[in-house]
Amino acid sequence: MTDNNVVSINGRLVREAELRFSTSGTAVVRFSIAVNRSVKKGDKWEDEASFFDCAMFGKMAESVSKYLEKGKQVSIIGELVQNR
């Protein structure tokens, strides 16, 4: 059986995306997504936000970077990598 690492996130961009190029010339766009969920606290429901830092590489990063504007709703599918 093969391990699987797939994540889907739907949310809003927290800030403008940053497009940069690595020393080897590969495009890298970095952005953050906020995702709200409702949490019951006592008798009331409150919104709670989770924030996810994302990166995209290569030609696709160059192509989509011009459309990634603060507040815009986005949906991404990718893999989850934990930084330690």
Side-chain angles (χ1 to χ4, degrees), residues 20-52:
R20 295 186 181 175
F21 292 87
S22 67
T23 53
S24 64
T26 303
V28 180
V29 66
R30 297 189 184 279
F31 53 96
S32 294
I33 299 175
V35 178
N36 291 326
R37 67 185 190 114
S38 294
V39 178
K40 190 168 186 176
K41 292 189 178 179
D43 293 340
K44 299 188 181 197
W45 289 90
E46 295 182 10
D47 284 338
E48 182 178 273
S50 296
F51 298 91
F52 299 93

Side-chain angles (χ1 to χ4, degrees), residues 10-13 33-34 67-75:
N10 300 304
R12 295 200 178 268
L13 294 170
I33 299 175
Y67 302 107
L68 299 176
E69 299 170 352
K70 180 179 178 180
K72 195 172 247 189
Q73 190 171 24
V74 295
S75 178

Side-chain angles (χ1 to χ4, degrees), residues 6-9 75-79:
V6 178
V7 63
S8 173
I9 300 174
S75 178
I76 63 167
I77 297 174
E79 65 182 45

Side-chain angles (χ1 to χ4, degrees), residues 26-27 56-64:
T26 303
M56 186 180 290
F57 304 92
K59 293 281 185 190
M60 189 176 288
E62 287 184 76
S63 299
V64 302

